[in-house]
Amino acid sequence: MHLTRFRFNTARIGARRVLSSPQMLHAAVMSSFAEIPQPGEDGARVLWRIDRNSKAETYLYLVSPDKPDLTHLVEQAGWPQTGGWQTFDYGTFLERLTTGQQWAFRLTANPVHTARRNDEEPTKLTAHVGVRHQRDWLLKRQQNAGFKVVEKSPERRLAPQDEHELIVHDRRQLSFKKSGQRQPVTLVTVTYDGRLEITDADAFRRTLVRGLGKAKAYGCGLMTLAEA
């Protein structure tokens, strides 16, 4: 497994054009491989995420079974003479994860649920739009994903719902067209920043290489870690 980071040159028209469309970003990511990687025996797949730390600091993070070549992105949306990308050995890092460790994390996800207005209607995927429901979406999945979001001590809680080391931000509604389809695709995405504790190292490793939630092809599901 590999973890790759690429910085966009947002002053360039090519960068702004690619960043404007999840469909174009998906195509750019998959073009990084001579052959599109197929999910491995452990379910590992290509995952990616855009981090907009500031107007001039926008990064692509990419986790993949195969090593990518981002030359096309550097030429179109980076710094061809002085820029590039960094690829790290992710497998070695994953092997060092153990139950009980605590990490800071970031995850961009597509929090959805199934709903219907009456018993006659078929269920359909519906986006969570409220912060409380978006937060609860992640908390409901943490056990199966092999981690738990760390709880705050009572004296640090600012409100009854402020129980966890978790921030929900950068809430976006994306709309784009896929080739061959008349109706646009609409996605609600949310970024979670927080602190977690690993409760099941094997399950957690699977989460990191398989992704969490829906819309993985469009920049959702990739969780990255940093020292807490």
Side-chain angles (χ1 to χ4, degrees):
M1 292 299 297
H2 300 85
L3 172 65
T4 300
R5 184 178 70 172
F6 166 77
R7 183 177 178 181
F8 284 93
N9 181 353
T10 54
R12 299 186 63 180
I13 294 175
R16 296 196 296 270
R17 181 167 175 265
V18 172
L19 288 167
S20 69
S21 168
Q23 179 73 2
M24 292 181 66
L25 279 165
H26 170 70
V29 166
M30 301 315 290
S31 296
S32 303
F33 307 97
E35 296 183 4
I36 296 178
Q38 300 300 315
E41 294 181 0
D42 58 354
R45 55 172 295 162
V46 176
L47 301 168
W48 61 273
R49 186 183 77 224
I50 298 297
D51 280 9
R52 296 173 174 85
N53 298 333
S54 68
K55 185 176 181 180
E57 190 176 280
T58 300
Y59 287 95
L60 166 70
Y61 286 90
L62 171 61
V63 165
S64 56
D66 300 333
K67 195 172 184 178
D69 182 344
L70 302 185
T71 302
H72 61 297
L73 270 178
V74 174
E75 294 174 346
Q76 178 183 3
W79 287 268
Q81 298 299 320
T82 60
W85 67 92
Q86 301 84 40
T87 297
F88 308 95
D89 178 5
Y90 200 40
T92 301
F93 171 77
L94 294 173
E95 291 173 359
R96 295 202 302 265
L97 297 176
T98 59
T99 298
Q101 289 178 343
Q102 290 195 3
W103 294 89
F105 74 91
R106 173 168 288 182
L107 165 72
T108 294
N110 170 226
V112 295
H113 64 113
T114 56
R116 59 183 177 183
R117 290 175 296 184
N118 55 62
D119 293 340
E120 282 69 40
E121 282 190 348
T123 59
K124 65 177 183 178
L125 282 178
T126 304
H128 287 301
V129 294
V131 173
R132 180 172 64 87
H133 290 106
Q134 291 169 344
R135 182 194 65 232
D136 291 346
W137 176 90
L138 178 62
L139 297 176
K140 289 177 181 177
R141 284 156 180 78
Q142 60 182 349
Q143 182 177 357
N144 288 339
F147 69 92
K148 64 179 180 181
V149 179
V150 174
E151 294 188 5
K152 293 182 178 179
S153 58
E155 60 270 15
R156 294 186 58 236
R157 298 175 185 176
L158 302 179
Q161 293 81 24
D162 186 34
E163 300 176 357
H164 297 87
E165 297 278 2
L166 183 64
I167 298 172
V168 180
H169 66 103
D170 199 22
R171 302 160 65 209
R172 296 170 178 262
Q173 180 167 311
L174 309 176
S175 184
F176 57 95
K177 285 189 175 181
K178 295 177 65 175
S179 58
Q181 292 188 5
R182 292 186 177 182
Q183 295 298 322
V185 176
T186 301
L187 296 176
V188 170
T189 67
V190 171
T191 297
Y192 302 89
D193 283 344
R195 189 154 61 96
L196 60 78
E197 179 178 323
I198 300 174
T199 56
D200 182 332
D202 289 336
F204 188 56
R205 278 189 281 267
R206 288 193 294 270
T207 297
L208 294 179
V209 300
R210 295 179 182 177
L212 189 61
K214 304 286 187 181
K216 298 182 182 73
Y218 302 111
C220 296
L222 171 59
M223 177 184 285
T224 53
L225 307 177
E227 292 188 4

